[in-house]
Each structure stands twice: as C-alpha cells, then as structure tokens.
Amino acid sequence: MRFLSYFIICLIIISCKKTEKKLSNADKVNMENNTEITVKEDSKSFTLNNCKVQGENDLLDIKLNNGFDSDFELRISKIKNKFITEYTQLTSVTDSSYKKPVFNVINQSIILNKTEYKKGDIIEGKLKIDISAHHTWEKDYVDTIKVTGSFKTILE
C-alpha cells in the first residue's frame, strides 16, 4: 500500500511539472532583434537589418542589406581565418553620366561566435568597418563610411 501511495504521488508530481517547449533555431533567432548594422556617411545614416549567411565549416558568405529595395549591400566572405569585405551600391541614378562611387575597405574588425559552422547553426557576429568612398560624379571627393553593429541569423 505504501508503495502504491508513493507511486501515485510521483505520478502527480511528474504530470504537474511544466513541460518545456523546445524552440527551433529559427524561433530562437526570431525572438530577438537579429541584425542591427549602422552605416554612417557624412551626415547620412541608415541601418542594414537583413542578414543572410551561406556556406559551411570555415567558408562563409555573409550578405547584409536592408531588404528587397536596398540601395547598398555589405558582403563579407570568410575563407579560413581571413575576411574579404565588399561594399556595393546596388541602385544607380538614371542620369547616363552617373558614375558609382568606388569603395575600398580601410580597416575592419569582424568577430564571429565560432570558427567553424554547419548548416542550421546560429551565427552571431560583431563588426566595425571603415570604408573609403571615392565619388566622381558631380564633384570629385573622398569620404569615409563607418559601419558598426552586430548580426545574428541561421546559416543556410
């Protein structure tokens, strides 16, 4: 009889225990603001809030922009322990004499949460990048673009 009482009490405790819902990686990433990259040039400032990462192991292709109608894209390729960064203007002025600026990375600091990844992993990163922009349309001048922030997404 004593055993039966003990068994019933254990069943009650187990059934009352909260069941924890397992979250998928997508749910975990969507619960938080996953990308906040600020781009500052002269007095202008905008945010890149869309991040896609493809690849695996120590080869990654990271694309940061602000969605479908993005004017600029920051692309970071990671090959082993080396980062290659490209900043590109995606849109163009309709004037046929328009020349897009030429961008060159001056300095970069990119930190990722791991050194190697596999598909489905959550990838987090922080970056600080200085880019030289040589403008030649209308007038010839050079300025510096400052890119800072963090991103978090799932490796596709």
Side-chain angles (χ1 to χ4, degrees), residues 9 12 33 55 65 82-83 93 102 110 112 125:
I9 291 172
I12 292 171
N33 182 5
N65 56 44
K82 184 176 180 183
F83 293 99
V93 176
V102 176
I110 302 168
L112 301 179

Side-chain angles (χ1 to χ4, degrees), residues 130-142:
D130 296 330
I131 301 168
S132 167
H134 183 193
H135 303 271
T136 57
W137 187 57
E138 292 184 328
K139 61 182 180 177
D140 194 325
Y141 69 99
V142 177

Side-chain angles (χ1 to χ4, degrees), residues 66-126:
N66 48 349
F68 177 72
D69 59 346
S70 187
D71 292 329
F72 296 93
E73 180 176 81
L74 183 68
R75 184 176 182 175
I76 303 167
S77 299
K78 178 186 179 282
I79 303 167
K80 298 198 184 274
N81 291 323
K82 184 176 180 183
F83 293 99
I84 301 167
T85 303
E86 296 175 309
Y87 186 70
T88 308
Q89 181 178 342
L90 302 175
T91 58
S92 183
V93 176
T94 55
D95 186 333
S96 63
S97 68
Y98 178 73
K99 295 179 184 173
K100 289 184 178 182
V102 176
F103 302 107
N104 292 304
V105 174
I106 303 167
N107 190 23
Q108 68 181 13
S109 169
I110 302 168
I111 301 169
L112 301 179
N113 61 326
K114 296 189 323 187
T115 55
E116 291 196 4
Y117 299 87
K118 62 182 185 306
K119 292 187 189 310
D121 281 355
I122 294 176
I123 179 170
E124 295 179 67
K126 291 182 181 182

